[in-house]
Structure formats: structure tokens, C-alpha cells
Amino acid sequence: MNLESYFDYLAPDDIRIKGTRIGIESVLYEYVHRGQAAEAIAAHFPTLSLEQVYATILWYLRDRERLDPYLADWLAASHAAREAQELNPPPIVLKLRQLKAARQASL
């Protein structure tokens, strides 16, 4: 079975499930960090078939040496992006925070 045929390699840090815009990190995060079963992951991502989810998980289990760093890099980039956004939130977020604070003050 050629598991790699289930995936599109757009860049070294961007591997997608073939025929979708879903990166393998989305499935692997649910599986590795949230302990979700394949069926629950497939239900969470309705554009994925159960076969695609199992293929992603099986590839991860067969090639953890390659995919653990991929997933760790994605998590680090996600955390950095969240921190940067928190330090410099978009104007709409600032406005919503002001509205929330004003609402809570009036209660």
C-alpha cells in the first residue's frame, strides 16, 4: 500500500490530504493531542472519508520520525501566530473587546 499517494506535497511544511484543502496536521492534531478516534475525526471533517483519515493515521504511525517534527513545527508556528495576534490584535477584535467591556460594565 502506497500511503503517500493519499497526500499532496505543496511544500516541505504543507502536506494536504489529496483532493482537499485539509492539512495532515489537522487530522494528526486530533489524533495525537486530543486522542480522537478515526471515526470522530472523520465526523469533524465531513469532506474527508474515513479511509483518508485512517491513511493519515497509518502514515503517522509508520513514519513518526518524519511526521513528529512536522507536527511539532506546525504547533510552534501556530502558537507563535496566536501570540503575535494577541500582541497586535486586528482593529475589529479591539472594538469587540471594548463593546464587551462596556456591556459588562453596564450590568
Side-chain angles (χ1 to χ4, degrees), residues 65-87:
E65 287 181 10
R66 176 180 176 194
L67 296 179
D68 275 339
Y70 178 93
L71 190 55
D73 289 347
W74 174 78
L75 283 170
S78 296
H79 289 297
R82 261 187 237 105
E83 288 175 4
Q85 187 177 32
E86 194 60 38
L87 292 174

Side-chain angles (χ1 to χ4, degrees), residues 11-64:
D13 62 347
D14 190 5
I15 303 171
R16 307 280 175 97
I17 298 170
K18 192 174 285 296
T20 75
R21 295 181 356 197
I22 299 172
I24 63 168
E25 65 278 353
S26 298
V27 170
L28 295 179
Y29 181 80
E30 294 296 320
Y31 178 73
V32 174
H33 294 282
R34 298 191 70 209
Q36 297 292 308
E39 291 79 4
I41 297 168
H44 185 74
F45 296 101
T47 59
L48 294 180
S49 69
L50 187 56
E51 179 181 350
Q52 289 170 310
V53 173
Y54 273 119
T56 305
I57 293 169
L58 181 57
W59 185 33
Y60 170 76
L61 294 173
R62 282 189 175 177
D63 200 1
R64 287 185 70 167

